[in-house]
Structures are given as structure tokens and as C-alpha cells.
Amino acid sequence: MSERLQDALLSIEGEAREAEDWGRVATYIPELARVPLKQFGIAVATAEGELFSAGEADTGFSIQSVSKVFALALALGRAGDQLWTRVGREPSGSAFNSIVQLEYERGIPRNPFINAGAIVTTDEILAGRQPKVALAELLGFVRAAVGDDSIFINDAVAASERAHGHRNFALANFLYACGNLKNPPDLTLGTYFHQCAIEMSVKQLALAGRFLVAAPGMPRLVSRARMRRICAIMMTCGHYDASGDFAFHVGLPGKSGVGGGILAIVPGQASVAVWSPGLNANGNSKLGTEAMERLARAMDWTVF
Ligand code: DON
């Protein structure tokens, strides 16, 4: 498989470089708007313990919403199934930062991957702890998953989002008003913004995803049953309103972030990370999504 996989990655990278439309970098977090558009990296960590990559595979980027996968794993470890009394697990059919649905549904977010749901998940991790301790636990989880203690939080990105995160403040305040935040909105959001500002390269992100691959030799950070559930939610909700499209074209559980990263899991076989900072209209990496489709097809990777 290794030669075929490396060839596929190189040819996918080559095609990406030829793109006429690289999408648009996110601008609502000013620090992300400064990232040069024309960058592309892809990496695959296999169940056999190998790591393959192509393109800008060592360049760090802001993982943003991909962090919600690690936060969910940690919150489920903390609260177990009780978490589902505070957040649902149905696709939302709305944008990641939608406000309107939260009021209709009385402060219970549809799923842990839209912003409202992720704020609740982070709130669960924070409950009973100082923000620094909660963040250290989350970073510890990610570092253990990657096997690399150099993973860090980019404070400038977190501060940039805090200064402009008015929609998230609206969501957190509404959640608090509904009794669905255990901590003051400001504290939960401070933690959430830092969580989103974790920085990784695609090589590191592919390694981080191995805890969901379910194969011998992979880091065992959650139970098999929990892996299945996290992957199910990635499949149905990981790309927001474009989750159906991602399932249709790629056929793998995946999670995107506005930094342009995407993590996808091939159960039993591999963890895949791609990054290109230009986004499509749904706020997911444009070339990253296209690359995932090409790779899944080239390797015949699918859960179906
Ligand atoms: O809360 C936000 O808006 C960002 N910190 C994360 C959003 C995100 O990554 C959406 N994903 N495509």
C-alpha cells in the first residue's frame, strides 16, 4: 500500500497546486486573515505505524473546529452519557455559527460540533476547574494522541478571536440564560477560544487522529464504543451544513476547521489530515475537501 499511497498524495498535491480557485481565508478572526492563501499539505498516519505526506506538511496552522473532536472525547470521558442531556447529536442543517436554531430549541444545541454545542462541551471540561487546568488537560490529551509535547496554543489567535467573537458571545450568553452553561460565559469562551487556537501541522494532526482509528498499536485514549460514537458524529455533523456532501463525496467521518484543516478517519486503517487555508462557501477548506475526495477514491477508502 505504501507506494500507492505516497504516489496518490503526490499527485493530489500536484493537482491542488494547479487550482485556479483556492477559496478564501477566514477573515472574521483577523489573525487567520493573515495566513497566505496558496498553501496545501496532506498527511496520512496508517494503522501499520507509517506516516506519509506531501506538500506543506510541517507548517503549523490553527486547527480551530477540528479541536472539537478532542474536546468531545475529553468531555465524554468526564461526563459520560450525561453530556447528551446538554447537547444533542443530530445534524443541524445550519451554519457552524448559527444563532436562530438555539432559541427554537431552548438552549440545547443540536450537536457538539456546531459552535453552540462546542461551547457546551468546553464548558463541561471546564466545570470545577481553573481555565488553565482545563486547557492543560485538553492540550495533554492532544499531545498524548500525537505523541509530541511540542504542540501549543497560539495565544495571538485566541486573543484575535476573543476581540471579534461577538457571535460566540451571543451564543454563550443565550446558553447561560437557558441554564445550559455551568461557568460564566466569559470564562467558558476564553477556554473555547484557546482550545480552537491549538496549532498543528498536517503530520501532527494525522497522528492526533490515530486514537479514532481502532487498530492495534494506535493510542488508546477512549474506549472502542466511544470511538464509534465520535466517528458517527463526525460523519453526520463534522462539516455542518455540508456534512451530507462530505459523506456523499468522501464517505469517511471527518471534521473541518476554519483554519483550513480537515481530519478524516478510515476506521481500522488510517487517519488523514489535509490543510489548505482557503475555504468554500460552507466554511470548510476548499482544496482540502477536494483532496479528501480524491484520496478516498484513489485508495478505495470508505465506510460504505
Ligand atoms: O468559534 C469559531 O467560530 C471558531 N473558533 C471555530 C469555527 C470553525 O472552525 C468552523 N469550522 N469550519
Side-chain angles (χ1 to χ4, degrees):
M1 170 170 99
S2 32
E3 211 170 302
R4 182 166 157 226
L5 177 53
Q6 188 61 61
D7 285 351
L9 295 181
L10 288 172
S11 105
I12 287 164
E13 188 222 341
E15 277 184 77
R17 300 259 172 235
E18 301 288 303
E20 277 176 21
D21 179 3
W22 286 67
R24 278 167 221 284
V25 292
T27 52
Y28 77 99
I29 301 174
E31 222 24 52
L32 296 184
R34 298 173 41 192
V35 176
L37 176 67
K38 295 198 169 177
Q39 302 189 82
F40 179 90
I42 187 163
V44 178
T46 68
E48 289 76 33
E50 292 183 285
L51 183 63
F52 298 89
S53 65
E56 277 116 0
D58 290 300
T59 308
F61 61 91
S62 195
I63 69 165
Q64 292 297 321
S65 287
V66 184
S67 70
K68 295 170 181 174
V69 175
F70 309 108
L72 175 61
L74 203 59
L76 282 171
R78 181 76 49 78
D81 282 345
Q82 279 295 312
L83 185 69
W84 305 123
T85 61
R86 302 182 61 193
V87 57
R89 39 180 197 252
E90 292 293 341
S92 69
S94 322
F96 66 89
N97 56 4
S98 170
I99 294 177
V100 63
Q101 197 169 44
L102 193 61
E103 184 169 15
Y104 281 130
E105 299 185 355
R106 297 184 187 79
I108 305 292
R110 270 290 174 98
N111 66 66
F113 290 158
I114 53 171
N115 283 5
I119 292 167
V120 167
T121 309
T122 302
D123 184 67
E124 187 63 51
I125 295 173
L126 182 58
R129 283 165 183 75
Q130 293 296 321
K132 272 196 175 142
V133 175
L135 280 170
E137 273 186 51
L138 186 68
L139 202 54
F141 184 97
V142 172
R143 286 173 171 174
V146 182
D148 182 345
D149 281 346
S150 73
I151 311 284
F152 68 100
I153 292 172
N154 185 324
D155 289 325
V157 172
S160 175
E161 180 163 20
R162 171 182 277 284
H164 296 85
H166 308 296
R167 287 188 79 98
N168 281 331
F169 276 100
L171 290 169
N173 280 309
F174 189 74
L175 287 165
Y176 194 77
C178 293
N180 199 11
L181 278 197
K182 295 179 178 173
N183 305 281
D186 196 50
L187 220 56
T188 297
L189 279 184
T191 311
Y192 170 78
F193 293 144
H194 280 83
Q195 163 200 316
C196 290
I198 293 175
E199 210 156 291
M200 282 198 241
S201 67
V202 279
K203 277 186 188 167
Q204 291 169 323
L205 187 56
L207 291 171
R210 293 172 305 165
F211 83 102
L212 293 171
V213 169
M218 300 283 99
R220 279 303 290 264
L221 299 178
V222 300
S223 69
R224 182 74 190 86
R226 199 151 278 162
M227 269 180 221
R228 269 204 297 272
R229 291 190 153 166
I230 295 171
C231 283
I233 300 169
M234 289 170 76
M235 189 77 176
T236 51
C237 311
H239 282 72
Y240 315 108
D241 204 14
S243 298
D245 226 39
F246 193 83
F248 185 83
H249 288 288
V250 182
L252 296 170
K255 182 72 209 82
S256 64
V258 286
I262 302 176
L263 172 67
I265 304 299
V266 194
Q269 297 194 66
S271 164
V272 185
V274 64
W275 167 64
S276 182
L279 309 179
N280 60 24
N282 291 105
N284 302 316
S285 173
K286 181 180 181 295
L287 296 189
T289 306
E290 292 168 12
M292 281 291 186
E293 181 176 3
R294 290 198 180 109
L295 183 63
R297 203 179 301 149
M299 299 307 293
D300 196 21
W301 281 342
T302 173
V303 297
F304 301 110

mmCIF file of all heavy atoms in Angstrom, residues 40-70:
data_model
loop_
_atom_site.group_PDB
_atom_site.id
_atom_site.type_symbol
_atom_site.label_atom_id
_atom_site.label_comp_id
_atom_site.label_asym_id
_atom_site.label_seq_id
_atom_site.Cartn_x
_atom_site.Cartn_y
_atom_site.Cartn_z
ATOM 1 N N PHE A 40 -0.822 24.193 0.735
ATOM 2 C CA PHE A 40 -1.521 22.900 0.725
ATOM 3 C C PHE A 40 -0.615 21.829 1.331
ATOM 4 O O PHE A 40 0.541 21.692 0.938
ATOM 5 C CB PHE A 40 -1.883 22.492 -0.713
ATOM 6 C CG PHE A 40 -2.579 21.161 -0.787
ATOM 7 C CD1 PHE A 40 -3.962 21.077 -0.716
ATOM 8 C CD2 PHE A 40 -1.844 19.981 -0.891
ATOM 9 C CE1 PHE A 40 -4.598 19.843 -0.753
ATOM 10 C CE2 PHE A 40 -2.469 18.747 -0.922
ATOM 11 C CZ PHE A 40 -3.856 18.681 -0.867
ATOM 12 N N GLY A 41 -1.143 21.087 2.262
ATOM 13 C CA GLY A 41 -0.386 19.969 2.839
ATOM 14 C C GLY A 41 -1.333 18.822 3.147
ATOM 15 O O GLY A 41 -2.513 19.036 3.447
ATOM 16 N N ILE A 42 -0.812 17.611 3.048
ATOM 17 C CA ILE A 42 -1.647 16.434 3.324
ATOM 18 C C ILE A 42 -0.774 15.367 3.988
ATOM 19 O O ILE A 42 0.411 15.238 3.650
ATOM 20 C CB ILE A 42 -2.324 15.916 2.023
ATOM 21 C CG1 ILE A 42 -3.324 14.796 2.319
ATOM 22 C CG2 ILE A 42 -1.302 15.484 0.957
ATOM 23 C CD1 ILE A 42 -4.317 14.536 1.173
ATOM 24 N N ALA A 43 -1.330 14.634 4.937
ATOM 25 C CA ALA A 43 -0.567 13.584 5.626
ATOM 26 C C ALA A 43 -1.493 12.443 6.016
ATOM 27 O O ALA A 43 -2.676 12.656 6.293
ATOM 28 C CB ALA A 43 0.110 14.151 6.876
ATOM 29 N N VAL A 44 -0.939 11.245 6.023
ATOM 30 C CA VAL A 44 -1.699 10.048 6.400
ATOM 31 C C VAL A 44 -0.873 9.252 7.400
ATOM 32 O O VAL A 44 0.287 8.925 7.134
ATOM 33 C CB VAL A 44 -1.985 9.156 5.162
ATOM 34 C CG1 VAL A 44 -2.728 7.894 5.579
ATOM 35 C CG2 VAL A 44 -2.792 9.920 4.106
ATOM 36 N N ALA A 45 -1.481 8.956 8.550
ATOM 37 C CA ALA A 45 -0.856 8.057 9.530
ATOM 38 C C ALA A 45 -1.581 6.718 9.419
ATOM 39 O O ALA A 45 -2.806 6.664 9.581
ATOM 40 C CB ALA A 45 -0.994 8.623 10.941
ATOM 41 N N THR A 46 -0.846 5.666 9.105
ATOM 42 C CA THR A 46 -1.510 4.379 8.863
ATOM 43 C C THR A 46 -1.530 3.507 10.117
ATOM 44 O O THR A 46 -0.740 3.706 11.046
ATOM 45 C CB THR A 46 -0.791 3.582 7.745
ATOM 46 O OG1 THR A 46 0.499 3.186 8.244
ATOM 47 C CG2 THR A 46 -0.637 4.400 6.489
ATOM 48 N N ALA A 47 -2.420 2.515 10.081
ATOM 49 C CA ALA A 47 -2.517 1.568 11.204
ATOM 50 C C ALA A 47 -1.234 0.760 11.338
ATOM 51 O O ALA A 47 -0.948 0.210 12.395
ATOM 52 C CB ALA A 47 -3.714 0.641 10.993
ATOM 53 N N GLU A 48 -0.452 0.697 10.269
ATOM 54 C CA GLU A 48 0.840 -0.031 10.318
ATOM 55 C C GLU A 48 1.911 0.799 11.001
ATOM 56 O O GLU A 48 3.055 0.361 11.151
ATOM 57 C CB GLU A 48 1.316 -0.391 8.908
ATOM 58 C CG GLU A 48 0.508 -1.486 8.209
ATOM 59 C CD GLU A 48 -0.828 -1.005 7.695
ATOM 60 O OE1 GLU A 48 -0.923 0.170 7.285
ATOM 61 O OE2 GLU A 48 -1.786 -1.790 7.730
ATOM 62 N N GLY A 49 1.576 2.035 11.355
ATOM 63 C CA GLY A 49 2.534 2.864 12.080
ATOM 64 C C GLY A 49 3.386 3.743 11.183
ATOM 65 O O GLY A 49 4.377 4.325 11.629
ATOM 66 N N GLU A 50 3.017 3.862 9.896
ATOM 67 C CA GLU A 50 3.798 4.722 8.996
ATOM 68 C C GLU A 50 3.125 6.076 8.826
ATOM 69 O O GLU A 50 1.917 6.215 9.038
ATOM 70 C CB GLU A 50 3.947 4.037 7.640
ATOM 71 C CG GLU A 50 4.838 2.796 7.718
ATOM 72 C CD GLU A 50 5.024 2.182 6.344
ATOM 73 O OE1 GLU A 50 4.070 1.545 5.856
ATOM 74 O OE2 GLU A 50 6.111 2.353 5.772
ATOM 75 N N LEU A 51 3.937 7.055 8.410
ATOM 76 C CA LEU A 51 3.413 8.410 8.197
ATOM 77 C C LEU A 51 3.837 8.865 6.803
ATOM 78 O O LEU A 51 5.025 8.877 6.490
ATOM 79 C CB LEU A 51 3.984 9.345 9.270
ATOM 80 C CG LEU A 51 3.513 10.795 9.262
ATOM 81 C CD1 LEU A 51 2.014 10.904 9.511
ATOM 82 C CD2 LEU A 51 4.269 11.610 10.321
ATOM 83 N N PHE A 52 2.867 9.208 5.978
ATOM 84 C CA PHE A 52 3.137 9.657 4.608
ATOM 85 C C PHE A 52 2.656 11.098 4.475
ATOM 86 O O PHE A 52 1.680 11.489 5.121
ATOM 87 C CB PHE A 52 2.378 8.789 3.601
ATOM 88 C CG PHE A 52 2.788 7.345 3.640
ATOM 89 C CD1 PHE A 52 2.150 6.450 4.493
ATOM 90 C CD2 PHE A 52 3.827 6.883 2.847
ATOM 91 C CE1 PHE A 52 2.532 5.122 4.552
ATOM 92 C CE2 PHE A 52 4.218 5.554 2.897
ATOM 93 C CZ PHE A 52 3.581 4.674 3.744
ATOM 94 N N SER A 53 3.296 11.856 3.605
ATOM 95 C CA SER A 53 2.835 13.244 3.453
ATOM 96 C C SER A 53 3.249 13.823 2.116
ATOM 97 O O SER A 53 4.107 13.263 1.419
ATOM 98 C CB SER A 53 3.396 14.105 4.588
ATOM 99 O OG SER A 53 4.797 14.179 4.486
ATOM 100 N N ALA A 54 2.667 14.951 1.789
ATOM 101 C CA ALA A 54 3.053 15.702 0.592
ATOM 102 C C ALA A 54 2.706 17.165 0.841
ATOM 103 O O ALA A 54 1.806 17.479 1.626
ATOM 104 C CB ALA A 54 2.298 15.177 -0.638
ATOM 105 N N GLY A 55 3.436 18.049 0.199
ATOM 106 C CA GLY A 55 3.170 19.491 0.305
ATOM 107 C C GLY A 55 3.672 20.071 1.607
ATOM 108 O O GLY A 55 4.628 19.551 2.217
ATOM 109 N N GLU A 56 3.020 21.143 2.050
ATOM 110 C CA GLU A 56 3.461 21.847 3.275
ATOM 111 C C GLU A 56 2.980 21.081 4.509
ATOM 112 O O GLU A 56 2.051 21.492 5.196
ATOM 113 C CB GLU A 56 2.901 23.282 3.269
ATOM 114 C CG GLU A 56 3.754 24.231 2.463
ATOM 115 C CD GLU A 56 3.036 24.809 1.251
ATOM 116 O OE1 GLU A 56 1.842 24.465 1.033
ATOM 117 O OE2 GLU A 56 3.663 25.581 0.523
ATOM 118 N N ALA A 57 3.641 19.951 4.743
ATOM 119 C CA ALA A 57 3.159 19.025 5.769
ATOM 120 C C ALA A 57 3.737 19.314 7.147
ATOM 121 O O ALA A 57 3.324 18.705 8.131
ATOM 122 C CB ALA A 57 3.466 17.590 5.358
ATOM 123 N N ASP A 58 4.699 20.232 7.233
ATOM 124 C CA ASP A 58 5.281 20.582 8.536
ATOM 125 C C ASP A 58 4.894 21.983 8.988
ATOM 126 O O ASP A 58 5.347 22.442 10.037
ATOM 127 C CB ASP A 58 6.814 20.467 8.478
ATOM 128 C CG ASP A 58 7.258 19.016 8.362
ATOM 129 O OD1 ASP A 58 6.929 18.230 9.266
ATOM 130 O OD2 ASP A 58 7.888 18.670 7.338
ATOM 131 N N THR A 59 4.103 22.672 8.185
ATOM 132 C CA THR A 59 3.714 24.036 8.532
ATOM 133 C C THR A 59 2.565 24.003 9.537
ATOM 134 O O THR A 59 1.560 23.321 9.316
ATOM 135 C CB THR A 59 3.237 24.784 7.258
ATOM 136 O OG1 THR A 59 4.253 24.646 6.266
ATOM 137 C CG2 THR A 59 2.959 26.250 7.531
ATOM 138 N N GLY A 60 2.711 24.730 10.631
ATOM 139 C CA GLY A 60 1.654 24.759 11.641
ATOM 140 C C GLY A 60 0.489 25.629 11.182
ATOM 141 O O GLY A 60 0.685 26.639 10.509
ATOM 142 N N PHE A 61 -0.728 25.223 11.535
ATOM 143 C CA PHE A 61 -1.917 26.036 11.236
ATOM 144 C C PHE A 61 -2.873 25.927 12.414
ATOM 145 O O PHE A 61 -2.726 25.048 13.271
ATOM 146 C CB PHE A 61 -2.586 25.580 9.929
ATOM 147 C CG PHE A 61 -3.079 24.154 9.965
ATOM 148 C CD1 PHE A 61 -4.360 23.847 10.368
ATOM 149 C CD2 PHE A 61 -2.222 23.110 9.611
ATOM 150 C CE1 PHE A 61 -4.803 22.529 10.432
ATOM 151 C CE2 PHE A 61 -2.649 21.783 9.673
ATOM 152 C CZ PHE A 61 -3.936 21.501 10.071
ATOM 153 N N SER A 62 -3.844 26.822 12.432
ATOM 154 C CA SER A 62 -4.801 26.865 13.530
ATOM 155 C C SER A 62 -5.857 25.785 13.308
ATOM 156 O O SER A 62 -6.570 25.821 12.303
ATOM 157 C CB SER A 62 -5.447 28.261 13.542
ATOM 158 O OG SER A 62 -6.102 28.467 14.748
ATOM 159 N N ILE A 63 -5.970 24.828 14.240
ATOM 160 C CA ILE A 63 -6.878 23.706 13.937
ATOM 161 C C ILE A 63 -8.350 24.094 14.125
ATOM 162 O O ILE A 63 -9.233 23.427 13.621
ATOM 163 C CB ILE A 63 -6.533 22.420 14.723
ATOM 164 C CG1 ILE A 63 -6.809 22.570 16.221
ATOM 165 C CG2 ILE A 63 -5.106 21.971 14.439
ATOM 166 C CD1 ILE A 63 -6.817 21.222 16.968
ATOM 167 N N GLN A 64 -8.602 25.175 14.880
ATOM 168 C CA GLN A 64 -9.973 25.683 15.058
ATOM 169 C C GLN A 64 -10.965 24.564 15.377
ATOM 170 O O GLN A 64 -10.759 23.839 16.322
ATOM 171 C CB GLN A 64 -10.365 26.529 13.839
ATOM 172 C CG GLN A 64 -9.567 27.826 13.757
ATOM 173 C CD GLN A 64 -9.832 28.755 14.954
ATOM 174 O OE1 GLN A 64 -10.955 28.887 15.428
ATOM 175 N NE2 GLN A 64 -8.781 29.375 15.474
ATOM 176 N N SER A 65 -11.997 24.390 14.561
ATOM 177 C CA SER A 65 -13.066 23.455 14.942
ATOM 178 C C SER A 65 -12.652 21.990 14.955
ATOM 179 O O SER A 65 -13.397 21.158 15.472
ATOM 180 C CB SER A 65 -14.273 23.616 14.014
ATOM 181 O OG SER A 65 -14.948 24.804 14.315
ATOM 182 N N VAL A 66 -11.493 21.670 14.384
ATOM 183 C CA VAL A 66 -11.057 20.274 14.485
ATOM 184 C C VAL A 66 -10.820 19.934 15.962
ATOM 185 O O VAL A 66 -10.983 18.796 16.393
ATOM 186 C CB VAL A 66 -9.790 20.005 13.633
ATOM 187 C CG1 VAL A 66 -9.418 18.527 13.684
ATOM 188 C CG2 VAL A 66 -9.984 20.458 12.192
ATOM 189 N N SER A 67 -10.514 20.972 16.758
ATOM 190 C CA SER A 67 -10.291 20.763 18.196
ATOM 191 C C SER A 67 -11.542 20.227 18.889
ATOM 192 O O SER A 67 -11.461 19.632 19.963
ATOM 193 C CB SER A 67 -9.869 22.079 18.860
ATOM 194 O OG SER A 67 -10.956 22.994 18.891
ATOM 195 N N LYS A 68 -12.705 20.434 18.259
ATOM 196 C CA LYS A 68 -13.958 19.997 18.890
ATOM 197 C C LYS A 68 -14.023 18.473 19.032
ATOM 198 O O LYS A 68 -14.741 17.953 19.884
ATOM 199 C CB LYS A 68 -15.157 20.515 18.078
ATOM 200 C CG LYS A 68 -15.265 22.053 18.076
ATOM 201 C CD LYS A 68 -16.296 22.542 17.071
ATOM 202 C CE LYS A 68 -16.393 24.066 17.038
ATOM 203 N NZ LYS A 68 -17.295 24.556 15.955
ATOM 204 N N VAL A 69 -13.274 17.770 18.185
ATOM 205 C CA VAL A 69 -13.227 16.301 18.283
ATOM 206 C C VAL A 69 -12.530 15.891 19.583
ATOM 207 O O VAL A 69 -13.013 15.024 20.314
ATOM 208 C CB VAL A 69 -12.463 15.712 17.065
ATOM 209 C CG1 VAL A 69 -12.285 14.200 17.213
ATOM 210 C CG2 VAL A 69 -13.175 16.045 15.767
ATOM 211 N N PHE A 70 -11.395 16.540 19.860
ATOM 212 C CA PHE A 70 -10.634 16.202 21.075
ATOM 213 C C PHE A 70 -11.421 16.643 22.321
ATOM 214 O O PHE A 70 -11.456 15.938 23.328
ATOM 215 C CB PHE A 70 -9.255 16.853 21.038
ATOM 216 C CG PHE A 70 -8.524 16.564 19.748
ATOM 217 C CD1 PHE A 70 -8.339 17.542 18.778
ATOM 218 C CD2 PHE A 70 -8.075 15.267 19.483
ATOM 219 C CE1 PHE A 70 -7.693 17.251 17.581
ATOM 220 C CE2 PHE A 70 -7.432 14.969 18.292
ATOM 221 C CZ PHE A 70 -7.236 15.963 17.338
#
